[in-house]
Amino acid sequence: MITTWDPEVTGVLRLPSGRLVRGRGLRRPLPAGPAPAFGLYLLGHEPPPVAWESRWLRWPDFRLPSDRAAAPDALREAWERAGAERVEVACGGGIGRTGTALACLAVLDGVPRGEAVAYVREHYARRAVETPWQRRFVTRFP
């Protein structure tokens, strides 16, 4: 049985394929409703433990992933799992790093690299992907 997010819930991004991914800021309380099955956490320091399966990608605030070789694998895992599970992608504020990661998931889902930032800004958060180097990261995402 597929158990994904309610598409009407705040923070849930619907990708063109229909996959649903929740983006959020970890500095805010955990939203009401079901817990994720998998979380990808984008922080410069190890995240606090959670009750669900998770993966940490070291990613300092306003920067890019520290390990550029690990980033595509982590993002691909989140995208693949979103086909059948509740996946959340989160950083401190839920805008810059989270938006960048969501734009990369959009690329994996078939959105052209040059349009992925606009897609996420339209369907997730208008300020998503905060820095020029984050935008460039999306346009060069493998």
Side-chain angles (χ1 to χ4, degrees):
M1 179 177 159
I2 295 177
T3 55
T4 61
W5 299 110
D6 175 348
E8 303 302 317
V9 172
T10 301
V12 173
L13 171 68
R14 180 185 295 275
L15 295 168
S17 67
R19 283 177 164 86
L20 301 171
V21 181
R22 180 173 77 184
R24 76 175 180 103
L26 294 171
R27 291 192 294 263
R28 292 185 215 112
L30 184 66
F38 176 75
L40 176 59
Y41 300 109
L42 317 168
L43 298 168
H45 55 83
E46 190 169 357
V50 291
W52 47 87
E53 193 176 346
S54 65
R55 183 169 179 176
W56 169 41
L57 181 60
R58 185 182 299 273
W59 193 331
D61 203 6
F62 296 104
R63 307 291 301 270
L64 295 174
S66 297
D67 184 346
R68 306 271 173 84
D73 182 54
L75 293 164
R76 185 171 307 282
E77 179 181 6
W79 177 77
E80 287 172 355
R81 293 180 75 149
E85 300 176 58
R86 284 187 303 274
V87 171
E88 82 170 359
V89 176
C91 65
I95 302 294
R97 293 167 286 180
T98 297
T100 303
L102 292 175
C104 291
L105 297 185
V107 169
L108 289 171
D109 207 63
V111 175
R113 289 177 180 88
E115 298 172 21
V117 171
Y119 183 88
V120 170
R121 287 179 174 171
E122 179 180 348
H123 299 285
Y124 171 69
R126 64 182 175 81
R127 292 184 10 234
V129 192
E130 294 176 305
T131 68
W133 41 92
Q134 289 173 340
R135 286 191 296 278
R136 188 170 49 249
F137 183 79
V138 173
T139 62
R140 296 177 178 172
F141 187 72

